Amino acid sequence: VQLQASGGGLVQAGGSLRLSCAPSGRRFTTYAMAWFRQAPGKEREFVAAIAWSHDETYYADSVKGRFTISRDNAKRTLFLQMISLKPEDTAIYYCAAAVERYSGSPYKHYEYDSWGQGTLVTVSS
């Protein structure tokens, strides 16, 4: 499964962006999808996830109240609406999908077996 993330860019602190993640190739079912991010010199970290079966969402504490994860079932597309952006949100954002297996830990990167190429979000102060 190939995932294509888009929507990144340069925005001032306090601004908003909406990221999208669309699949290509064969149709697939997924247990969950998520956004992770990696800032320069830092490890990849969990941002948000959504469980496909019951729409339950999960967020990192650092983005709660500012980011919203959602999906479009018909287009099998994942979104991340980001508001009140801060310079510390600057990172490459990756979308990921749990396609082959899922043990119910949406915060863990090892749950996801398909990853997009990333889209860069830069927040200036």
Side-chain angles (χ1 to χ4, degrees):
V1 174
Q2 292 182 329
L3 303 173
Q4 181 73 36
S6 61
L10 174 63
V11 63
Q12 288 188 332
S16 303
L17 282 174
R18 188 191 195 209
L19 305 184
S20 299
C21 176
S24 62
R26 65 176 177 87
R27 291 189 64 85
F28 64 95
T29 57
T30 182
Y31 296 100
M33 292 189 73
W35 291 95
F36 286 77
R37 66 187 182 186
Q38 187 166 19
K42 295 188 176 181
E43 294 188 350
R44 178 176 48 185
E45 65 174 358
F46 170 81
V47 175
I50 184 166
W52 228 247
S53 61
H54 51 276
D55 261 355
E56 187 167 357
T57 56
Y58 310 86
Y59 295 95
D61 288 343
S62 59
V63 306
K64 277 181 183 176
R66 301 188 299 120
F67 291 10
T68 302
I69 190 170
S70 62
R71 62 175 182 169
D72 179 323
N73 278 346
K75 297 180 181 179
R76 300 177 295 141
T77 302
L78 182 72
F79 302 101
L80 185 69
Q81 179 67 51
M82 306 184 293
I83 65 171
S84 302
L85 283 161
K86 304 175 181 179
E88 51 263 43
D89 294 318
T90 295
I92 299 175
Y93 284 70
Y94 299 91
C95 60
V99 177
E100 300 296 333
R101 49 167 171 74
Y102 183 62
S103 63
S105 299
Y107 303 94
K108 303 299 184 180
H109 67 87
Y110 56 71
E111 289 279 24
Y112 305 94
D113 43 63
S114 295
W115 291 81
Q117 87 290 356
T119 185
L120 176 63
V121 172
T122 304
V123 184
S124 62
S125 56

